[in-house]
Amino acid sequence: MTFYFLAAAILCVFPQCKLTVFRQPLWQYLLLLSVITAYYQEYINLNAVAVIAVYVGLFHFTLLATSALKRNVLTSLFITASLGLALHWFAGFNNLPIVVNEQVTSNAIAFTLYANFDKALAGLMLSAYFFAKNKTAKPVTIGYPILIITITILAALITALTLNLVEFAPKVPEFWLLFIAINLLFTCVAEEALFRGVIQTKLSKLITPSRFALLAPVISTCVFSLAHFSAGTHYMLVAAVAGFGYGYIYYKTSRLEWAILCHWLVNVFHFFLFTYPMLATPS
């Protein structure tokens, strides 16, 4: 039940789901249930419970801070803690393995999939922070975001093919449903909330001349690409192409939801239609 509660909390943090119980957002109750069940199911221990308590407290103090100095210090600590959770820096989290060292296609590197409580928690709280701080979005028709998504998918996958990172390999693995759910709610939400919701938003507020506004998605794309350095330079280039699409759609709409959807669809098309995650030996 742990990850069902956590997934439901993530869904309910979005403004389209403004449900409250005793004047408190529903997602907070679902988070509490996920922590309680995670402890009893041994996905977290007391050390992790303490980390979560401090982290959630830090989130609330960040939102309540009145002075600019306190707000900046607390925001920096909150973002650092979020990054630590996403990168599994804190002990006490026993994440659930779904697939371990499995070859999704015969010529691919081994793939491991976890339901990560710590990374999902970071995604939830970063999203909550984003929606608390950003209540407006640019008016935009649905057609333009769909066009950006389509171009991003094509550009990213064609780049991967050109660099011989993947081959065309249609498939439907047995764990496909778990993959698309975990990738959307536990991976894409966390990464887009960090790179676009926090980093790009902060940059856009610092870069005030309108003629330089595009620098915000460009810089966030560079940071996103660098985050994939362990997979190699070619993979970083593909991440940069895809990341610019995620950043640009957020730049044009100011909606985190579009960036998340774009990121997820790139991953879904990659998963079902091409070598996943990439070729073991370049063709």
Side-chain angles (χ1 to χ4, degrees):
M1 291 300 294
T2 293
F3 295 98
Y4 291 109
F5 283 132
L6 189 54
I10 292 169
L11 288 172
C12 289
V13 82
F14 287 85
Q16 293 83 355
C17 182
K18 292 184 178 179
L19 298 176
T20 59
V21 179
F22 300 117
R23 297 185 179 181
Q24 295 300 316
L26 177 60
W27 70 263
Q28 295 183 2
Y29 295 98
L30 291 168
L31 172 60
L32 178 61
L33 286 172
S34 71
V35 172
I36 293 170
T37 55
Y39 178 74
Y40 282 102
Q41 291 183 301
E42 299 184 347
Y43 293 125
I44 59 175
N45 60 23
L46 285 175
N47 183 76
V49 172
V51 169
I52 293 168
V54 172
Y55 180 57
V56 173
L58 189 58
F59 163 78
H60 285 288
F61 285 126
T62 300
L63 293 182
L64 295 173
T66 53
S67 73
L69 178 60
K70 286 183 180 179
R71 187 164 54 250
N72 290 335
V73 170
L74 289 170
T75 299
S76 298
L77 291 172
F78 172 68
I79 294 172
T80 302
S82 300
L83 184 63
L85 284 166
L87 296 177
H88 318 300
W89 289 349
F90 299 105
F93 293 89
N94 304 307
N95 293 312
L96 175 65
I98 306 298
V99 173
V100 179
N101 292 329
E102 181 172 319
Q103 281 190 300
V104 182
T105 47
S106 59
N107 56 350
I109 64 173
F111 174 63
T112 296
L113 175 66
Y114 277 85
N116 292 308
F117 191 96
D118 43 5
K119 185 172 183 176
L121 174 64
L124 169 64
M125 301 308 294
L126 285 168
S127 298
Y129 173 83
F130 171 82
F131 290 120
K133 292 287 187 179
N134 301 272
K135 300 183 184 297
T136 59
K138 298 176 184 177
V140 62
T141 60
I142 192 171
Y144 192 52
I146 290 175
L147 175 63
I148 298 172
I149 290 173
T150 303
I151 293 172
T152 302
I153 293 170
L154 291 173
L157 294 177
I158 289 172
T159 302
L161 281 168
T162 303
L163 294 173
N164 296 320
L165 286 178
V166 299
E167 294 177 342
F168 185 63
K171 59 196 170 300
V172 182
E174 292 182 359
F175 61 93
W176 69 271
L177 187 58
L178 286 172
F179 172 86
I180 62 174
I182 291 170
N183 192 263
L184 173 61
L185 296 175
F186 293 0
T187 301
C188 294
V189 168
E191 293 182 5
E192 291 309 306
L194 175 62
F195 291 105
R196 257 54 65 176
V198 174
I199 294 176
Q200 187 169 322
T201 299
K202 296 291 185 184
L203 288 169
S204 65
K205 291 177 180 178
L206 291 172
I207 304 170
T208 51
S210 58
R211 65 182 180 275
F212 297 130
L214 201 58
L215 279 176
V218 169
I219 295 171
S220 73
T221 296
C222 292
V223 178
F224 181 74
S225 176
L226 286 171
H228 294 81
F229 76 95
S230 61
T233 54
H234 284 181
Y235 199 92
M236 286 175 64
L237 180 57
V238 175
V241 172
F244 183 74
Y246 312 152
Y248 188 73
I249 200 170
Y250 176 68
Y251 165 72
K252 296 299 291 185
T253 66
S254 296
R255 287 193 176 274
L256 186 62
E257 300 94 315
W258 280 118
I260 293 168
L261 180 62
C262 186
H263 191 160
W264 180 65
L265 286 175
V266 168
N267 291 349
V268 166
F269 274 87
H270 178 191
F271 180 75
F272 285 110
L273 296 179
F274 297 90
T275 313
Y276 198 87
M278 62 182 176
L279 290 168
T281 304
S283 58

